[in-house]
Amino acid sequence: MIINDWKMNFDKHSELSCSVPCDMYSVLYNHGIIEDPYYGNNEEKICNLSKMDCTFYTEFILTEEDLECEKIEISFYGLDTICDIYLNGILLDSVMNMHRMYEYDIKSIAKNKNEIKLEFKSPINYFDKMESVHHLYMNGDTLPGASHLRKAFYMSGWDWAPKLPNIGIFRPVEVHCYNIDKLEDVYIAQHHKKNTVQLELSASTKHNSIDTEIRCEIDGKTVALQNNNGEVLIDNPRIWWPNGYGKQELYDISFVLYHNNVEIDRITKSIGLRTLELSQEKDEEGQEFCFVVNGVKIFAMGANYVPIDSLLSRETNERLERLIQDCVFANFNCIRVWGGAYYPCDYFYELCDRYGLIVWQDFMVACANIWLNKDMEKEFVLEATYNVKRIRHHASLGLLCGNNEMEEAICFWEGVDGNDSQVREDYLKLYEEILPSVCKQHAPYISNTPSSPTSGGSFDDPRDYTRGDVHFWDVWNGNCEFDEYRKHKPRFCSEYGFESLPSIKTIDEFCPLEERNLLSYTMESHQKHWHGNVKLLRYLAEAYQMPKDLETTVYASQLNQAMAIKYGVEHFRRCRGYTMGSIYWQLNDPWPVASWSSIDYYGRYKALHFFAKKFYQPVSLGIFNDSDCVSVNIANETMGEFHGFIKVGVTKNNFDKIYEMSKPVSIKPLTSLDVETMQNSEFSGHNDTYFYAELYDENGKLIARNVELGTKPKYFKFLKPQIQVTVNKTDGGVCLVFVSDVLAKNVQITFKNFDVELEDNYFDLSSAQPYTVFAKTSLEADELLKNISIISVYDIPFRY
């Protein structure tokens, strides 16, 4: 029985109805007591509501048949966070960890009509109380003391998240009535041999009944477990691969509990048969850091995931699936779950299994010290054990990582008390003893690391580029230019990013008309990085002429962000073999904000996400313009050799060709190769000339194109393009066909009164040839043409 309907009492407001998932801010908003938390600067007005306590309560009915059951239990899968749990006036427990599940035997106190009362205490008051007792370093954008509580840190503010430390029930509450016993835990390990996979099986029951039997069903076979253990052999297995390398084959495996040959319980898991490990083998230059899937070393491509909403009641399966589909659109094969949030729901991992995204899973600590007293140590063990056991069977799970940035912080950051012996002792005990021990005991086949970044742990230079992973923030945080990426060769870059503004339509959702200015109070309230808008303008000034209005400022900021990450990714893929991963910061936003995301809060793609589709495509094309030469690189991240040809040339802004050549190319599987290098004197330093490269497959199909201007965009002599567009109906939507008379750089397509799902955007019209973009829509051509808006880099500045 799922208990879904609840009521909330808060301050003078009572009997506010709600349904799980439900949180204090959402309930107050839904009942008209507060305004939209995300509009204007409402966040500031309502943050202190979290200084007040709050109660959720409900009733549930048990039938006579239910009450006659031998066992009656209640489970709470997500309580946020400090909560006294009462059933029928009896205190079941006082809990303080949103990352755990709590389960209680209620047989002795259950009756026909039952009342649950959840008394939540203020998280802010707890932060303040504990911080006065023991100071802990906490990320500067977050409420002080937040790391004293096992609650998602980002809820208390981050440099992309609001300060809304919520209260509520964010995952189901269930009552279980049953007889004899039930399954509690299942374990599946894989042993791969040629053309077979042997599954090592184990299961346990809640009450260890001796007169029950457990059987396992998979692929048409049924195996009875002996002493709760068994094996099953899968012949000619269908193998699971990450996106881009093969199919995501999955098997359903069921563990069934029998009593007197009658089924009394069943647990079904979906598994993928594969080997997946993180290789850190030593080599001549240090130590590699590389995912190896089914014996194949892959180049990881993806982004860092943060929760899809700061109000947990707004997270839905539909939004999660759309976001994972967005990852596949951009050719991701990997996603990192960042450690300052909460462990995703089961459905998240199921989606990653189905769509082929390797999951890098942080344990939930980021940019904060932990006071590892006995109570906190116990919480971490229980939290880690529960979540590791919950997610370990997933085909997509590739790495368990102890924390985000705390090894680096202790070594290098100011204010972290890195020289304090207790800080170091607590760090080493938690991340290099406790969590690895939990991993080894419950998921020995899943790779684990102590921190990100790390070079192996124990404070051994976590910024070493020859081993481990790196968080590279010299661009943006360090104010360096984009070419700084190309001066460094990490083994794996698991964080790097660049800010931009969200879509102008998204800004309209939160910003009053009179505040539509980048430096207004509202706009700065939705920019959580210190001096973020000033930095954004500083970087804009390096690349583009001053934008004429907010809309073109948004456009230019997104181009700058996309170009920054493109610089990094193309370099990392060029270094394939040494560098084996790119996970940019960040994928998404939990509210409407200026941030590093490639998809804004409302699911609108920024320029970066369209760029990601190209720089992460299986066979990609990069241009590297150095001091006196320009090189063309092709990265082939497929399992087969690529055969085709390239065209390269130099062209004037009016499409007058100065030079063009073509040549066949062959690129071996899983390699990167410079296929052409030439002098750049024909275009480099010229303000009306550009270099282009195009890659075609052996059938003449255009695979990729890239354009390098002879100078910065702000100095380039863009001519005013006359862009013509026609609309042709096709299956599932329309084809938009664009033609320009002169170079049109980074053409942006938007629609005034609606959003349209485009296959490409922010593209270059670098020749007089038509360029076709598929749009998934049921709208007619007239409606599309009436609403379409087309701009390019030419349109950024005010022109007299």
Side-chain angles (χ1 to χ4, degrees):
M1 176 196 306
I2 297 177
I3 302 173
N4 194 49
D5 296 324
W6 294 72
K7 291 183 179 179
M8 184 183 88
N9 292 344
F10 178 82
D11 193 22
K12 61 184 178 182
H13 307 285
S14 60
E15 298 188 4
L16 302 175
S17 60
C18 54
S19 297
V20 174
C22 47
D23 62 78
M24 177 191 71
Y25 288 117
S26 293
V27 175
L28 294 175
Y29 172 64
N30 292 340
H31 284 270
I33 296 166
I34 61 172
E35 296 180 350
D36 181 355
Y38 297 166
Y39 189 78
N41 63 332
N42 287 343
E43 170 216 354
E44 297 176 15
K45 300 175 185 177
I46 65 174
C47 175
N48 282 340
L49 295 179
S50 291
K51 289 185 176 181
M52 303 175 70
D53 298 342
C54 177
T55 299
F56 289 82
Y57 61 97
T58 193
E59 294 179 346
F60 66 93
I61 302 296
L62 293 177
T63 66
E64 289 302 317
E65 184 180 358
D66 293 331
L67 292 169
E68 289 173 0
C69 288
E70 297 174 10
K71 320 290 183 185
I72 306 176
E73 296 165 352
I74 190 167
S75 301
F76 300 87
Y77 290 93
L79 298 177
D80 180 17
T81 295
I82 309 172
C83 183
D84 292 337
I85 305 171
Y86 291 89
L87 178 66
N88 298 329
I90 297 172
L91 179 66
L92 295 181
D93 204 355
S94 297
V95 302
M96 300 182 67
N97 190 336
M98 75 175 290
H99 305 304
R100 288 177 53 193
M101 183 269 280
Y102 298 95
E103 187 170 74
Y104 307 98
D105 178 357
I106 59 171
K107 171 68 177 178
S108 63
I109 57 175
K111 51 189 180 181
N112 174 247
K113 187 176 182 180
N114 301 272
E115 182 186 56
I116 310 175
K117 185 167 65 173
L118 304 177
E119 294 186 352
F120 287 94
K121 303 298 190 296
S122 160
I124 295 180
N125 292 345
Y126 185 81
F127 299 162
D128 293 344
K129 172 187 171 183
M130 295 305 296
E131 186 68 0
S132 69
V133 174
H134 184 94
H135 167 70
L136 286 176
Y137 168 80
M138 186 76 228
N139 171 58
D141 302 289
T142 309
L143 293 172
S147 62
H148 282 285
L149 185 62
R150 296 307 298 144
K151 176 179 176 64
F153 293 169
Y154 86 104
M155 290 181 168
S156 299
W158 216 264
D159 53 9
W160 40 264
K163 290 182 174 69
L164 294 172
N166 220 332
I167 292 169
I169 311 165
F170 70 99
R171 286 188 180 148
V173 178
E174 293 187 24
V175 175
H176 310 269
C177 304
Y178 62 98
N179 293 310
I180 303 167
D181 210 342
K182 70 174 183 178
L183 290 165
E184 184 172 46
D185 185 37
V186 299
Y187 175 90
I188 309 155
Q190 303 180 20
H191 304 284
H192 287 246
K193 298 179 181 179
K194 186 176 182 180
N195 298 324
T196 63
V197 176
Q198 179 180 298
L199 297 181
E200 175 189 339
L201 309 171
S202 177
S204 61
T205 61
K206 175 82 173 183
H207 304 286
N208 299 313
S209 300
I210 59 174
D211 54 351
T212 57
E213 179 188 32
I214 303 172
R215 302 173 195 167
C216 178
E217 302 170 354
I218 183 173
D219 201 31
K221 299 180 179 181
T222 300
V223 176
L225 303 191
Q226 304 297 322
N227 298 318
N228 293 349
N229 295 293
E231 295 178 351
V232 63
L233 195 67
I234 307 297
D235 295 315
N236 301 311
R238 305 186 306 274
I239 299 298
W240 183 94
W241 288 94
N243 181 38
Y245 299 88
K247 294 182 179 180
Q248 289 74 58
E249 300 281 5
L250 296 171
Y251 290 77
D252 284 339
I253 181 169
S254 294
F255 292 81
V256 189
L257 182 64
Y258 288 87
H259 174 70
N260 292 335
N261 218 32
V262 175
E263 179 180 327
I264 60 174
D265 196 19
R266 174 182 291 260
I267 291 177
T268 298
K269 304 286 188 182
S270 179
I271 65 170
L273 304 181
R274 87 292 182 265
T275 61
L276 172 53
E277 64 178 337
L278 180 76
S279 172
Q280 298 185 74
E281 289 185 8
K282 292 183 178 180
D283 56 27
E284 293 180 356
E285 299 180 82
Q287 233 174 301
E288 71 178 358
F289 193 96
C290 171
F291 286 114
V292 183
V293 187
N294 302 321
V296 177
K297 294 182 178 181
I298 74 162
F299 187 97
M301 300 184 287
N304 286 266
Y305 163 84
V306 301
I308 60 176
D309 217 297
S310 285
L311 303 181
L312 301 193
S313 65
R314 297 182 179 182
E315 179 181 302
T316 65
N317 285 351
E318 292 75 19
R319 289 181 69 187
L320 274 176
E321 182 159 16
R322 175 57 196 264
L323 189 64
I324 298 302
Q325 289 171 341
D326 293 336
C327 295
V328 175
F329 172 89
N331 293 305
F332 287 18
N333 59 37
C334 184
I335 189 169
R336 177 182 176 226
V337 180
W338 170 78
Y342 55 88
Y343 301 91
C345 63
D346 294 340
Y347 191 59
F348 173 88
Y349 302 97
E350 292 170 15
L351 290 170
C352 291
D353 291 346
R354 280 166 37 198
Y355 287 100
L357 300 183
I358 294 172
V359 177
W360 170 321
Q361 176 68 59
D362 283 1
F363 288 100
M364 288 301 131
V365 179
C367 307
N369 285 334
I370 299 296
W371 185 19
L372 202 63
N373 55 35
K374 291 296 182 184
D375 288 340
M376 186 62 80
E377 183 176 330
K378 179 181 176 182
E379 287 296 336
F380 266 101
V381 170
L382 292 170
E383 166 192 323
T385 299
Y386 167 66
N387 284 289
V388 168
K389 291 168 75 171
R390 178 171 69 91
I391 68 176
R392 64 188 175 187
H393 69 279
H394 285 283
S396 55
L397 184 60
L399 179 65
L400 295 165
C401 176
N403 69 79
N404 175 75
E405 295 188 339
M406 280 317 299
E407 183 183 7
E408 178 185 69
I410 288 173
C411 288
F412 300 112
W413 295 5
E414 294 182 7
V416 184
D417 302 320
N419 292 320
D420 184 284
S421 60
Q422 191 62 52
V423 167
R424 288 186 167 235
E425 285 176 20
D426 285 351
Y427 176 95
L428 291 172
K429 185 173 185 181
L430 178 56
Y431 304 114
E432 301 195 13
E433 293 180 26
I434 293 172
L435 293 180
S437 177
V438 170
C439 294
K440 183 177 181 180
Q441 181 179 354
H442 299 294
Y445 46 84
I446 305 295
S447 298
N448 68 86
T449 58
S451 184
S452 178
T454 188
S455 297
S458 301
F459 310 118
D460 181 14
D461 191 7
R463 290 179 175 173
D464 187 348
Y465 278 77
T466 68
R467 55 204 169 108
D469 66 316
V470 166
H471 291 190
F472 187 84
W473 284 102
D474 290 10
V475 178
W476 185 262
N477 282 354
N479 294 309
C480 292
E481 299 307 313
F482 302 167
D483 61 1
E484 190 69 20
Y485 287 119
R486 298 180 175 180
K487 299 176 184 177
H488 303 271
K489 281 177 62 177
R491 303 313 293 251
F492 193 115
C493 201
S494 51
E495 259 197 42
Y496 61 107
F498 196 92
E499 265 206 5
S500 72
L501 296 167
S503 159
I504 195 69
K505 288 183 179 179
T506 294
I507 291 173
D508 288 344
E509 297 274 0
F510 71 78
C511 185
L513 186 62
E514 65 274 13
E515 288 282 291
R516 280 178 42 131
N517 182 293
L518 189 60
L519 303 181
S520 72
Y521 193 83
T522 296
M523 290 298 292
E524 291 195 339
S525 294
H526 288 254
Q527 163 63 270
K528 295 301 183 180
H529 186 66
W530 181 252
H531 291 315
N533 286 348
V534 173
K535 181 170 288 192
L536 190 149
L537 287 173
R538 202 280 293 171
Y539 270 109
L540 278 183
E542 286 294 322
Y544 300 101
Q545 293 184 19
M546 185 59 65
K548 62 189 175 188
D549 54 22
L550 182 59
E551 189 163 354
T552 50
T553 301
V554 168
Y555 168 64
S557 78
Q558 292 193 12
L559 292 185
N560 233 14
Q561 177 194 37
M563 287 301 298
I565 304 306
K566 178 176 182 285
Y567 256 75
V569 174
E570 289 179 348
H571 170 62
F572 299 147
R573 293 193 69 178
R574 191 188 195 190
C575 297
R576 194 206 191 280
Y578 185 92
T579 302
M580 290 301 288
S582 157
I583 304 179
Y584 66 76
W585 185 269
Q586 66 203 72
L587 174 62
N588 60 303
D589 291 325
W591 78 312
V593 65
S595 82
W596 297 264
S597 71
S598 60
I599 305 173
D600 74 24
Y601 173 70
Y602 292 103
R604 297 183 175 111
Y605 291 1
K606 297 180 181 179
L608 172 56
H609 209 70
F610 287 103
F611 273 48
K613 182 184 180 185
K614 297 172 184 176
F615 59 56
Y616 277 161
Q617 68 184 40
V619 181
S620 69
L621 180 72
I623 295 176
F624 297 85
N625 189 24
D626 298 320
S627 56
D628 56 0
C629 290
V630 61
S631 298
V632 178
N633 174 270
I634 299 174
N636 178 14
E637 196 57 30
T638 73
M639 305 281 272
E641 188 164 340
F642 176 83
H643 300 283
F645 63 95
I646 60 165
K647 283 184 181 179
V648 299
V650 177
T651 300
K652 289 282 191 180
N653 53 3
N654 63 359
F655 291 158
D656 285 348
K657 288 187 178 179
I658 297 173
Y659 169 83
E660 185 176 74
M661 62 85 71
S662 64
K663 61 182 285 189
V665 292
S666 294
I667 314 296
K668 292 180 180 179
L670 307 172
T671 60
S672 177
L673 181 69
D674 284 0
V675 295
E676 181 64 24
T677 298
M678 55 186 289
Q679 294 294 310
N680 61 13
S681 57
E682 291 283 357
F683 78 97
S684 189
H686 296 244
N687 64 5
D688 62 351
T689 309
Y690 59 94
F691 178 84
Y692 67 89
E694 296 175 344
L695 177 64
Y696 297 83
D697 67 15
E698 55 190 344
N699 297 315
K701 180 183 177 182
L702 179 65
I703 300 296
R705 59 163 47 159
N706 223 327
V707 169
E708 181 83 8
L709 299 179
T711 187
K712 292 182 178 182
K714 67 178 179 179
Y715 300 139
F716 194 84
K717 288 187 176 180
F718 288 104
L719 303 176
K720 184 176 182 178
Q722 300 295 324
I723 300 175
Q724 305 297 319
V725 58
T726 56
V727 181
N728 300 321
K729 202 77 174 174
T730 189
D731 291 343
V734 300
C735 287
L736 304 172
V737 183
F738 299 91
V739 178
S740 181
D741 58 336
V742 297
L743 172 66
K745 193 87 174 73
N746 302 125
V747 175
Q748 175 194 264
I749 308 304
T750 56
F751 296 87
K752 182 180 178 182
N753 293 324
F754 43 78
D755 290 331
V756 172
E757 197 173 320
L758 297 170
E759 197 69 20
D760 195 11
N761 209 342
Y762 303 93
F763 49 84
D764 297 330
L765 296 177
S766 54
S767 75
Q769 295 298 313
Y771 186 73
T772 300
V773 175
F774 174 75
K776 186 178 180 181
T777 179
S778 59
L779 294 169
E780 296 297 326
D782 288 348
E783 188 72 9
L784 292 167
L785 291 172
K786 184 169 67 175
N787 279 274
I788 198 168
S789 172
I790 304 172
I791 63 173
S792 68
V793 174
Y794 174 88
D795 300 294
I796 290 175
F798 178 82
R799 294 184 183 274
Y800 294 94

